C-alpha cells in the first residue's frame, strides 16, 4: 500500500489553487498573485485546468466547446482527470519537487463540484483516481471566489473572446448548485480554504489574498 503521507511530504514547493463559478474573477486573481510573487521569487508558475500541457489543452477544447450534452458525466469526468494527470506529471509535480510555487486556476475541487456534486459522478471514484495520480498531495491553500451566479455569468459572457461556452450555457439552477457546492466543500475543508467575496474590487481581493498567504506561511513569506 502506498504511503501517501510520506509521498506528500516529499514535494517541497507551495501549491495554491483558485476555485469558483463562472465569471467569479479567479483568472484575474491568479494572474495578480503570480505577478506579485514573481516580483520577489523566480521559481513560480501560473497554470490552469483543464489545460497546462499540450495534451491537456487539447482535451480542454473537447470539454469546453460545443453542445452542453456532448458528453455524459462519466466521460466528462474521465476527460478532466486525464487532463489533470498529464498536467500533474509533466508540469505541477516537477515544479513542486524543484521547490517552485505553483498557482493553478481550478484543480480537483472543480471536478468534485461540477462532475461529482452537481452531475452525480460518485465522489469516491473521483477521489480514488485523484489519489492514484497525486499520491494524496492536495493544494496547500485554496481561494474560493464566491459570487452570485447571475452576476458571474453576466461578467463571463461580456468578457468572453472565445467559443468556450459549453459550461456557461448550462441553466441558472445548475450554476446555483455549483455555488452552494463550492461553499459546502470549502466549509468542509476549512483548514485549506479561504472564502472571498467575489463582489469586492480586484485590488481588495488581491490584498486579502496576500495578507492571508503571509499569515499562513510566515516562514516562507517573511
Ligand atoms: P475555466 O476556464 O476556469 O472557465 P471560467 O473562467 O469561465 O470559469 O473553466 C472552464 C469550465 O470547466 C468551468 O465551467 C468549470 C469546468 N470544469 C469542470 O467542470 N471540471 C473540472 O475539473 C474543471 C477543471 C473545470
Amino acid at each position: 500500500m502506498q504511503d501517501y503521507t510520506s509521498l506528500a511530504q516529499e514535494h517541497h514547493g507551495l501549491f495554491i489553487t483558485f476555485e469558483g463559478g463562472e465569471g467569479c474573477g479567479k483568472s484575474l486573481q491568479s494572474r495578480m498573485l503570480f505577478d506579485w510573487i514573481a516580483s520577489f521569487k523566480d521559481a513560480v508558475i501560473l497554470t490552469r485546468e483543464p489545460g497546462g500541457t499540450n495534451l491537456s489543452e487539447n482535451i480542454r477544447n473537447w470539454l469546453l466547446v460545443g453542445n452542453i450534452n456532448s458528453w455524459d458525466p462519466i466521460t466528462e469526468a474521465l476527460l478532466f482527470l486525464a487532463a489533470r494527470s498529464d498536467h500533474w506529471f509533466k508540469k505541477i509535480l516537477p515544479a513542486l519537487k524543484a521547490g517552485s510555487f505553483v498557482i493553478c486556476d481550478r484543480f480537483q475541487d472543480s471536478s468534485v463540484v461540477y462532475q461529482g456534486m452537481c452531475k452525480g459522478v460518485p465522489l469516491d471514484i473521483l477521489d480514488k483516481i485523484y489519489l492514484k495520480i497525486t499520491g494524496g498531495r492536495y493544494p496547500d491553500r485554496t481561494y474560493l471566489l464566491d459570487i452570485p451566479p447571475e452576476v458571474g455569468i453576466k461578467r463571463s459572457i461580456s468578457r468572453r473572446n472565445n467559443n468556450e461556452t459549453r459550461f456557461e450555457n448550462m441553466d441558472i439552477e445548475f450554476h446555483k448548485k455549483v455555488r452552494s457546492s463550492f461553499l459546502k466543500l470549502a466549509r468542509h475543508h476549512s483548514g485549506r480554504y479561504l472564502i472571498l467575496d467575489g463582489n469586492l474590487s480586484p485590488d481588495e481581493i488581491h490584498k486579502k489574498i496576500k495578507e492571508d498567504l503571509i499569515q499562513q506561511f510566515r516562514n516562507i513569506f517573511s
Side-chain angles (χ1 to χ4, degrees):
M1 183 67 188
Q2 187 82 270
D3 179 353
Y4 292 126
T5 316
S6 67
L7 252 179
Q9 284 164 353
E10 278 170 27
H11 312 154
H12 300 299
L14 191 67
F15 186 22
I16 301 162
T17 56
F18 282 82
E19 299 283 1
E22 267 40 46
C24 66
K26 61 186 175 35
S27 304
L28 174 63
Q29 287 303 324
S30 318
R31 162 63 57 186
M32 289 171 88
L33 182 62
F34 171 81
D35 289 344
W36 176 60
I37 295 175
S39 70
F40 57 83
K41 182 174 167 71
D42 289 336
V44 54
I45 61 167
L46 174 62
T47 189
R48 68 169 179 182
E49 291 211 348
T53 62
N54 286 341
L55 175 66
S56 306
E57 289 289 335
N58 280 322
I59 297 176
R60 177 183 179 96
N61 199 41
W62 292 343
L63 281 163
L64 303 191
V65 175
N67 189 285
I68 54 171
N69 297 316
S70 309
W71 310 101
D72 67 274
I74 286 277
T75 311
E76 186 177 287
L78 293 173
L79 285 170
F80 276 114
L81 284 160
R84 181 157 308 122
S85 181
D86 195 61
H87 189 207
W88 177 260
F89 287 113
K90 290 198 183 129
K91 196 166 182 178
I92 299 178
L93 182 60
L96 291 175
K97 278 187 169 168
S100 184
F101 289 7
V102 176
I103 301 167
C104 192
D105 183 350
R106 292 197 187 281
F107 194 59
Q108 172 75 1
D109 291 345
S110 281
S111 294
V112 172
V113 165
Y114 283 81
Q115 283 67 52
M117 298 164 86
C118 296
K119 293 191 175 193
V121 175
L123 295 181
D124 63 324
I125 294 182
L126 300 175
D127 289 347
K128 273 191 187 137
I129 300 175
Y130 179 76
L131 278 179
K132 192 71 196 160
I133 296 169
T134 63
R137 175 67 151 101
Y138 288 88
D140 298 300
R141 197 77 177 141
T142 301
Y143 296 104
L144 172 62
L145 297 186
D146 177 53
I147 194 167
E150 295 82 355
V151 180
I153 302 280
K154 234 187 238 165
R155 273 194 198 167
S156 192
I157 290 171
S158 67
R159 286 182 196 156
R160 185 158 301 290
N161 57 6
N162 58 32
N163 57 351
E164 293 180 346
T165 53
R166 194 172 150 252
F167 279 83
E168 196 173 273
N169 288 341
M170 289 180 186
D171 65 35
I172 192 72
E173 289 313 312
F174 177 81
H175 293 291
K176 284 184 180 162
K177 184 97 198 281
V178 166
R179 183 188 192 193
S180 61
S181 302
F182 265 126
L183 286 169
K184 193 169 166 193
L185 191 69
R187 286 175 188 137
H188 186 71
H189 297 289
S190 57
R192 163 161 73 86
Y193 261 92
L194 181 68
I195 302 171
L196 294 149
D197 178 357
N199 281 311
L200 296 175
S201 75
D203 284 340
E204 280 173 302
I205 297 174
H206 178 57
K207 185 163 173 275
K208 283 181 188 292
I209 292 173
K210 282 196 300 191
E211 285 168 356
D212 175 73
L213 274 178
I214 291 166
Q215 195 201 338
Q216 291 291 321
F217 305 101
R218 278 184 202 284
N219 50 337
I220 298 178
F221 287 92
S222 54

